[in-house]
Amino acid sequence: MSEQKRLHPAAVFFNFIRVVKEAAFAIILGFISFKDSAFMYFILGASAILILMILFSILSWYRYTYRVEDDELRIEYGIFVRKKRYISKNRIQSIDLTSSVIHRIFKLTRVNIETAGSSTGAEASLKAVKLSEGEALRRELKTVSTVEQDNEPEDAEEDWPSSTITFKRLFIAGTTSGSIGVILAIAAFGSSELEQFIPDDFYDSTFEWIIELGITIMIVLGLIGLLLLWILGIAGTMIKYGNFTITKMEDELFITRGLLEKKQLTIPMKRIQAVGIQESLIRQPLGYVTVFAEIAGGSMDKGEDFSSILFPIMKADEVEPFLQKFLPEYAGITNDLTPLPKRARKFYLLRSSILFLIVTGVIAFVLPTFIWLPLIVLAGSAYLGILRHKDGGFRQDDKKLTVRYRFLSRNTITMYHKRVQAFEKKQHRVHVHQRLANVRLSIIGKMGMGKHFTVKELEESDVNQIADWYSYRE
């Protein structure tokens, strides 16, 4: 693959869409400003800009070339100023293939190449190449030589451990995802942005219509709206994680997922800093968990999670067999932990309830009729504080350390000593008197940023033990 190649001509379309997105705000602003007085001039100006955008997209595609030569991926691009980017095979951390709906119609894919220095975006991105060429490029850029790959037996792929999510589990993941809150937040933000474009008469007539419906019908409509949002949450999860498959090939994990946009993600196991399981308030009583990994370096493309999902949902008793199959060095994460001392419970209750306790006092003084509402919230926050105390803990196993904590979801994290970048012990005066301490552990996360795990109100002697473990002190 030493000859220069261009992207598929469909890249012109993707370039054009990108340019339109960047200029969308200016176009909308121009339309609002000139729609009455000089609308014809706006149309002429917009037409000229549209033609320039198309020409820019075509020239960007024509001037963009790539090739693999001397163990390097060499990319040349730029219309007026020619730029060259050389990426050595040794620097490449992962190569991901992403296929949107348009890509899949034309049997294309997008190749994202990440190095240790990648931050908010991939080091290099080939927007549109044939799927066969993308797969060939990924094989070519692997550190294992092509000769060694050709000498492998043809049935070697059958020995690669693999696991695929079932439709039933995918549906359960959607129904318990809790994404209704996210959808409500997006809807609220969208309505606030669109409010300035909607006439006031529309709001007045709509408000009068709602008042005329009556309380009962309003409640029914509200429940129907929540049901529709719940269904949208289920659909979003199933589209995102549809056909989720994880495969272990030598020293890498390959993840394929997505119904509309198909993604093939590569996770080098040497970049895994920690492995954890997450149990939400909805899934924990049902016995379901999500398995994830914290990955060092790499990029944070738009829409991706800060933690890499290794499997969206599984039964809690399936975690150990899963880890034994794919990451045996992290097995044992579900073993019993050393719990927090009982005298630490008052700190968790106070932190969870103090704000709502103040609000309850204010409402009791100002609006005593509605005192029942903050009391319910106060009881819920107190219960959450009890859960946080109950679920906190740690376990030290030779070179591994496991910690567990809860904010809303319960998280259990296992990490190796060599992955811990920083250790912090923190105490205030009350802690000293109670012989308690907080511990904070830091590892490298995505974009090279630190990822921190904090467990509060541990026994001071246990924190000192972890400090000795971290500092190699006997």
Side-chain angles (χ1 to χ4, degrees), residues 19-33 42 53 193 196-197:
V19 174
V20 170
K21 284 182 178 180
E22 293 175 353
F25 179 77
I27 294 174
I28 295 173
L29 184 62
F31 175 77
I32 296 173
S33 303
F42 170 76
M53 287 180 177
E193 292 297 316
Q196 54 184 324
F197 301 106

Side-chain angles (χ1 to χ4, degrees), residues 309-323:
I309 302 298
L310 298 183
F311 212 82
I313 189 170
M314 65 173 59
K315 281 286 188 178
D317 56 7
E318 297 172 353
V319 173
E320 284 304 309
F322 176 84
L323 293 177

Side-chain angles (χ1 to χ4, degrees), residues 282-454:
I282 300 175
R283 291 178 180 174
Q284 186 179 353
L286 301 175
Y288 287 102
V289 304
T290 298
V291 183
F292 65 92
E294 301 294 344
I295 312 299
S299 66
M300 185 68 187
D301 289 332
K302 188 176 180 180
E304 291 299 316
D305 302 318
F306 277 95
S307 302
S308 296
I309 302 298
L310 298 183
F311 212 82
I313 189 170
M314 65 173 59
K315 281 286 188 178
D317 56 7
E318 297 172 353
V319 173
E320 284 304 309
F322 176 84
L323 293 177
Q324 288 287 356
K325 185 177 181 181
F326 294 97
L327 294 166
E329 62 273 24
Y330 286 95
I333 190 173
T334 57
N335 294 345
D336 293 335
L337 276 66
T338 301
L340 302 178
K342 291 183 179 180
R343 62 183 183 279
R345 179 174 295 179
K346 55 181 173 289
F347 294 97
Y348 282 85
L349 282 171
L350 183 63
R351 275 195 301 268
S352 296
S353 308
I354 184 64
L355 176 61
F356 299 105
L357 189 61
I358 295 172
V359 172
T360 301
V362 172
I363 293 180
F365 180 76
V366 179
L367 298 170
T369 308
F370 298 96
I371 189 63
W372 58 271
L373 182 60
L375 284 176
I376 293 175
V377 177
L378 179 62
S381 64
Y383 178 68
L384 183 61
I386 294 173
L387 284 180
R388 288 173 178 172
H389 171 262
K390 177 184 175 182
D391 292 332
F394 83 102
R395 184 181 68 253
Q396 178 191 329
D397 299 322
D398 191 19
K399 297 181 179 180
K400 285 194 300 183
L401 180 67
T402 302
V403 296
R404 188 170 62 201
Y405 61 93
R406 176 192 288 276
F407 180 69
L408 291 178
S409 299
R410 186 170 78 170
N411 297 279
T412 307
I413 316 290
T414 291
M415 67 203 83
Y416 274 85
H417 181 282
K418 62 182 179 181
R419 302 299 189 187
V420 181
Q421 301 295 314
F423 167 88
E424 181 182 352
K425 172 186 174 182
K426 187 176 181 180
Q427 288 178 295
H428 50 66
R429 291 185 178 182
V430 180
H431 278 162
V432 174
H433 179 71
Q434 295 283 317
R435 302 186 309 280
L436 300 173
N438 299 341
V439 62
R440 187 188 194 198
L441 302 159
S442 303
I443 62 174
I444 301 176
K446 281 196 173 181
M447 300 187 293
M449 298 172 60
K451 184 80 174 183
H452 312 289
F453 310 108
T454 302

Side-chain angles (χ1 to χ4, degrees), residues 1-7 61-69 73-77 82-86 133:
M1 198 181 290
S2 59
E3 72 277 5
Q4 282 191 345
K5 289 192 174 184
R6 286 190 175 87
L7 303 178
W61 165 78
Y62 183 78
R63 298 281 285 171
Y64 193 106
T65 61
Y66 68 95
R67 70 184 187 276
V68 177
E69 186 176 327
L73 174 64
R74 301 185 176 183
I75 300 174
E76 298 183 12
Y77 60 99
R82 197 68 172 161
K83 300 179 182 179
K84 298 181 180 180
R85 177 176 292 178
Y86 295 167
E133 291 183 7

Side-chain angles (χ1 to χ4, degrees), residues 38 54 90 101 188 192 229 243 260 267 336 354 364 384 467:
I54 295 174
N90 297 326
V101 176
S192 65
L229 291 175
N243 298 324
L260 296 181
I267 302 177
D336 293 335
I354 184 64
L384 183 61

Side-chain angles (χ1 to χ4, degrees), residues 88-126:
S88 173
K89 286 184 181 181
N90 297 326
R91 290 184 55 231
I92 295 176
Q93 299 287 336
S94 64
I95 305 170
D96 301 333
L97 305 183
T98 304
S99 300
S100 64
V101 176
I102 299 175
H103 282 104
R104 296 174 73 177
I105 291 174
F106 298 100
K107 296 182 179 180
L108 304 175
T109 190
R110 176 175 179 170
V111 183
N112 291 326
I113 299 166
E114 294 184 358
T115 66
S118 302
S119 54
T120 55
E123 182 75 15
S125 181
L126 308 182

